[in-house]
Amino acid sequence: MGAAPFDFKGAGFSSMRNPLRRYYGLGDLHFVTFSCYRRRPFLGTRRTRDRFVKILDEVRSRHRFHIVGYVVMPEHVHLLMSEPANVTPSKALQVLKQGVSRALRRKPRRPALGQLSLAFPGDGDSGTAFWQRRFCDFNVWSAKKVKEKLEYMHANPVMRKLVSHPKDWPWSSWLNYARGEEGLLRIDILGGDKDRSTPLSNPEKSQRPHP
């Protein structure tokens, strides 16, 4: 595989720790997963996925964290990210989710006269919630785990039968790693181009994701 795409500073914490507990300040990357409310396909169109990617890039710039890999699926998102410079990962994801929700959530219909308007739980505003409240977070501290998570993300659209090959799903970091091309979102290769290595042993062939 060659050199790792960045230097690890972690203290050896396993990426298989409790995904709902947070281990920050170790210099690890974080493999995070968050889902739309009740797994509804709120990111099921090109327009919504494009908008999500744009807002993700804006939040990355604002809070200064690295995005090493990602995939946007119709009802959930995977990110492989560093810790932000000025907030916790939890706070950065909260800002991201709120920004996407405000931009994409359908405005609720006005209730009929005399009818109560009820908000779904976890929304914070009136109308249907866009996201599930919590997110899963695994610390990633080795090049082997980075490769594993990238392969898992890039294979998601194929395994879901959304496309026949990862190249046909532009809302992921596959293109950057497989062909060295910038896709919809700039990917951060920490340590510089000289340390870049393609994490897929055969990038033109999709890999089955691990459970």
Side-chain angles (χ1 to χ4, degrees):
M1 178 175 170
F6 42 79
D7 296 325
F8 287 97
K9 301 177 182 178
F13 279 71
S14 169
S15 66
M16 295 306 293
R17 282 179 176 272
N18 185 335
L20 294 180
R21 295 187 64 182
R22 317 298 180 208
Y23 300 91
Y24 297 155
L26 302 173
D28 296 343
L29 294 176
H30 293 266
F31 179 68
V32 299
T33 303
F34 47 99
S35 300
C36 297
Y37 184 65
R38 294 183 176 175
R39 299 283 291 186
R40 295 174 180 174
F42 291 155
L43 299 170
T45 67
R46 297 184 67 93
R47 183 189 70 84
T48 55
R49 291 190 292 272
D50 286 346
R51 191 68 182 275
F52 176 90
V53 169
K54 182 177 184 296
I55 296 171
L56 172 60
D57 195 30
E58 292 170 353
V59 174
R60 179 213 352 224
S61 297
R62 186 189 318 166
H63 291 298
R64 306 201 305 277
F65 58 87
H66 297 291
I67 297 175
V68 178
Y70 80 103
V71 65
V72 184
M73 300 293 286
E75 68 295 300
H76 71 279
V77 176
H78 295 299
L79 295 179
L80 185 58
M81 60 181 286
S82 70
E83 295 188 12
N86 51 9
V87 295
T88 65
S90 295
K91 180 61 178 178
L93 290 176
Q94 180 186 30
V95 171
L96 171 64
K97 292 168 74 174
Q98 288 177 344
V100 172
S101 177
R102 293 190 189 102
L104 296 182
R105 189 184 56 204
R106 294 178 180 176
K107 294 182 178 179
R109 301 178 190 172
R110 289 191 175 185
L113 188 63
Q115 183 178 356
L116 291 176
S117 176
L118 301 177
F120 283 91
D123 192 21
D125 293 310
S126 61
T128 304
F130 194 97
W131 300 106
Q132 289 292 121
R133 279 183 178 271
R134 305 192 72 180
F135 66 94
C136 293
D137 181 0
F138 292 99
N139 285 54
V140 177
W141 56 273
S142 71
K144 178 181 177 181
K145 283 296 180 182
V146 170
K147 179 177 183 291
E148 174 186 304
K149 298 306 183 185
L150 288 171
E151 289 182 346
Y152 175 86
M153 288 188 288
H154 297 161
N156 257 209
V158 176
M159 299 309 300
R160 287 282 304 281
K161 302 186 185 304
L162 297 172
V163 292
S164 60
H165 192 282
K167 67 181 174 59
D168 299 319
W169 190 260
W171 304 278
S172 87
S173 49
W174 181 89
L175 191 64
N176 183 280
Y177 286 102
R179 298 181 177 175
E181 301 174 13
E182 186 169 311
L184 298 177
L185 182 69
R186 174 180 57 82
I187 298 304
D188 298 302
I189 305 296
L190 307 187
D193 290 340
K194 64 182 177 64
D195 290 333
R196 175 180 292 180
S197 60
T198 302
L200 299 179
S201 56
N202 183 358
E204 295 294 332
K205 184 178 180 182
S206 64
Q207 304 285 328
R208 184 177 184 86
H210 304 292

